[in-house]
Amino acid sequence: MLCIIWRALHGMWLLVGQASSSQSGKFTIFDYFDLRTRTLACIVKESVKLYVYNMRSAHVEKARHLAIERAIIDAFKQGISGKDVAKLAHKEGVKAAKFAKRQDKRIIGPIISSRWDFFEDIYYGGTMIEGFLRGSGTLAATNAGGFYGEQSLGRLGYLIGSQLGS
């Protein structure tokens, strides 16, 4: 079945001709390593994505650490023993991290990534529809990759999953 679909699509591509077909598909990963403007654009794009993805993770970690500090201070003021202080602080830290994750909508990074792909597609001669489809695919894959990565590996998993998704 897949072979039949592939042949049909190839036949349509031959009918349309190379000049009328998508020009954005001619961009490859090796174009990033031309040591000119494409390399610079790639470095900027990946740096912005990593920075924005890391901002969210840093926000969650900061909230967790602040909650742990407050819980330790409050527990010592109340005169609770050391073992109980550690349990209480850990519980408060987990609670604060969950709240920070819910509060922080992880939408900025995927939106930046998808819009970048949209404009990159337009720049390389693609149509608006191709750019929209590529940007939408990046948005969905980045969100899914970040979600599943965070479920399995935590903060590092979110960063890796978001990068792989985009």
Side-chain angles (χ1 to χ4, degrees), residues 61-75:
E61 287 297 311
K62 183 179 177 184
R64 187 174 71 81
H65 285 296
L66 283 174
I68 288 173
E69 284 179 22
R70 287 184 191 138
I72 290 173
I73 291 170
D74 289 343

Side-chain angles (χ1 to χ4, degrees), residues 57 73 81 95 100 161:
S57 299
I73 291 170
S81 69
K95 235 192 299 186

Side-chain angles (χ1 to χ4, degrees), residues 9-52:
L9 289 174
H10 184 68
M12 287 181 210
W13 180 77
L14 290 174
L15 283 174
V16 169
Q18 190 168 354
S20 299
S21 67
S22 171
Q23 301 299 310
S24 63
K26 294 186 173 130
F27 179 75
T28 66
I29 190 69
F30 298 113
D31 290 338
Y32 280 140
F33 304 111
D34 70 347
L35 300 176
R36 285 187 248 138
T37 55
R38 289 182 188 163
T39 303
L40 181 63
C42 174
I43 290 170
V44 169
K45 175 185 177 181
E46 297 303 322
S47 299
V48 167
K49 286 186 342 188
L50 280 174
Y51 176 74
V52 173

Side-chain angles (χ1 to χ4, degrees), residues 126-142:
T127 64
M128 292 290 278
I129 293 172
E130 288 173 329
F132 174 75
L133 290 174
R134 184 173 173 196
S136 300
T138 300
L139 183 64
T142 303

Side-chain angles (χ1 to χ4, degrees), residues 53-130:
Y53 296 148
N54 199 30
M55 270 185 358
R56 178 192 176 269
S57 299
H59 170 71
V60 171
E61 287 297 311
K62 183 179 177 184
R64 187 174 71 81
H65 285 296
L66 283 174
I68 288 173
E69 284 179 22
R70 287 184 191 138
I72 290 173
I73 291 170
D74 289 343
F76 279 132
K77 283 182 181 177
Q78 295 173 4
I80 300 174
S81 69
K83 202 178 237 186
D84 294 333
V85 168
K87 287 180 185 177
L88 179 67
H90 177 70
K91 190 170 99 174
E92 290 298 318
V94 168
K95 235 192 299 186
K98 282 184 182 178
F99 181 72
K101 284 178 188 175
R102 279 189 226 128
Q103 186 182 31
D104 185 27
K105 306 289 186 205
R106 53 182 112 120
I107 196 72
I108 295 172
I111 285 179
I112 289 173
S113 184
S114 68
R115 291 308 104 201
W116 192 293
D117 282 350
F118 171 80
F119 289 118
E120 188 176 66
D121 194 66
I122 300 299
Y123 177 77
Y124 284 110
T127 64
M128 292 290 278
I129 293 172
E130 288 173 329

